[in-house]
Amino acid sequence: PQVVERCVAAAGYSVGEFAALVFAGALGFAEALYAVKVRAEAMQRASEAVPSGMLSVVGRPEANYKFACLEARKHCESLGIENPVCTVSNYLFPDSRVIAGHLQALEFLQENARKYYFKRAKMLPVSGAFHTRLMEPAVEPLAEVLKSIEIQKPLLCVYSNVDGKKYMHSKHIQKLLVKQVVSPVLWEQTMHSVYERKQGTEFPYTYEVGPGNQLGAILKQCNLKAWKQYKHVDALEDAEAADT
């Protein structure tokens, strides 16, 4: 309980941003859950419209992701695909990105991984190019549901995936949650914003709540000193302990 009371900031990765906003008192739990349901269904419909996906990439320091994506789009155009999409959709940590777009573009990048200085290029088990303009059909349904929900100013700092900065007020939250669907997740940049402090200042305790500790692994790559104060809290374990 004292950890919750002393908490000064929250952030959530992609859909986890709704959880961060509920925790910060900006969204009600039931309303957020409904918004997430509408968002998920709309994104699924958008995914079914175009064969697309996401590629997890670990690159060498000399990797140029923008150039690789440009060449992959040109390849798609040569196949007759109009307005192809291939862009960085998630910034994870230095030299690690997720690239999303048309499947043909991602396959091209996998085949030419060495040319673009990619050490690893692995397809993610997802059905669409999330956080790209291929998700535009999902924008309107989410915007409509967020208009109908009461959004409060957060009780503590919540950082946005869209720009890595703190949310300012309720309208700002409403606007950026919609924009997030078609914008890259700036998680690496968010980590730098959250842990920016004067030299010699101690880092806060960080808690990752929920299944898996992937965000902790990313934090370790972004900021080793901050990671030393990191703990993982598995929400399912706590629920099981309460039931017994």
Side-chain angles (χ1 to χ4, degrees), residues 7-238:
C7 185
V8 293
Y13 185 92
S14 189
V15 70
E17 201 158 298
F18 285 86
L21 287 163
V22 169
F23 176 76
L27 294 174
F29 177 71
E31 290 88 347
L33 212 54
Y34 178 62
V36 165
K37 178 179 182 285
V38 169
R39 177 185 183 273
E41 289 169 351
M43 287 170 83
Q44 182 58 37
R45 286 194 298 274
S47 299
E48 288 163 5
V50 177
S52 58
M54 302 180 87
L55 184 72
S56 174
V57 174
V58 176
R60 299 185 191 282
E62 59 267 44
N64 185 330
Y65 302 96
K66 281 187 178 175
F67 177 69
C69 290
L70 175 66
E71 293 224 319
R73 290 196 297 272
K74 283 181 180 173
H75 169 72
C76 286
E77 284 168 358
S78 75
L79 299 175
I81 297 169
E82 286 182 26
N83 297 322
V85 171
C86 183
T87 186
V88 174
S89 63
N90 305 69
Y91 291 80
L92 302 178
F93 55 84
D95 304 323
S96 179
R97 307 277 185 272
V98 176
I99 294 173
H102 282 80
L103 272 183
Q104 296 90 333
L106 304 182
E107 286 161 2
F108 171 83
L109 290 177
Q110 269 193 307
E111 287 162 16
N112 295 279
R114 287 181 69 181
K115 177 186 173 184
Y116 300 116
Y117 302 103
F118 295 166
K119 286 192 280 189
R120 196 187 79 203
K122 185 183 174 187
M123 289 296 291
L124 294 177
V126 296
S127 58
F130 305 134
H131 304 291
T132 72
R133 63 178 169 83
L134 288 176
M135 290 294 114
E136 273 171 6
V139 164
E140 199 53 43
L142 180 59
E144 284 304 310
V145 76
L146 287 174
K147 277 179 199 165
S148 69
I149 290 173
E150 191 179 349
I151 303 174
Q152 309 281 352
K153 188 180 177 184
L155 299 172
L156 49 98
C157 296
V158 180
Y159 289 80
S160 165
N161 287 184
V162 172
D163 57 11
K165 295 175 184 172
K166 298 170 192 172
Y167 279 117
M168 305 307 290
H169 47 74
S170 57
K171 283 278 181 220
H172 194 213
I173 293 169
Q174 186 182 326
K175 181 183 170 187
L176 291 192
L177 279 180
V178 173
K179 198 175 177 186
Q180 192 228 61
V181 172
V182 289
S183 302
V185 173
L186 305 186
W187 193 254
E188 182 185 339
Q189 295 87 331
T190 300
M191 292 296 93
H192 294 318
S193 294
V194 170
Y195 297 104
E196 188 178 20
R197 58 204 60 241
K198 287 178 184 152
Q199 200 131 22
T201 311
E202 281 192 12
F203 285 97
Y205 286 98
T206 298
Y207 296 88
E208 179 176 2
V209 182
N213 54 5
Q214 293 93 331
L215 298 182
I218 292 172
L219 176 59
K220 189 177 182 181
Q221 298 290 337
C222 287
N223 191 323
L224 188 60
K225 284 184 180 175
W227 175 78
K228 285 177 179 172
Q229 305 276 49
Y230 160 89
K231 289 180 182 176
H232 175 238
V233 181
D234 193 325
L236 295 175
E237 277 179 21
D238 286 0

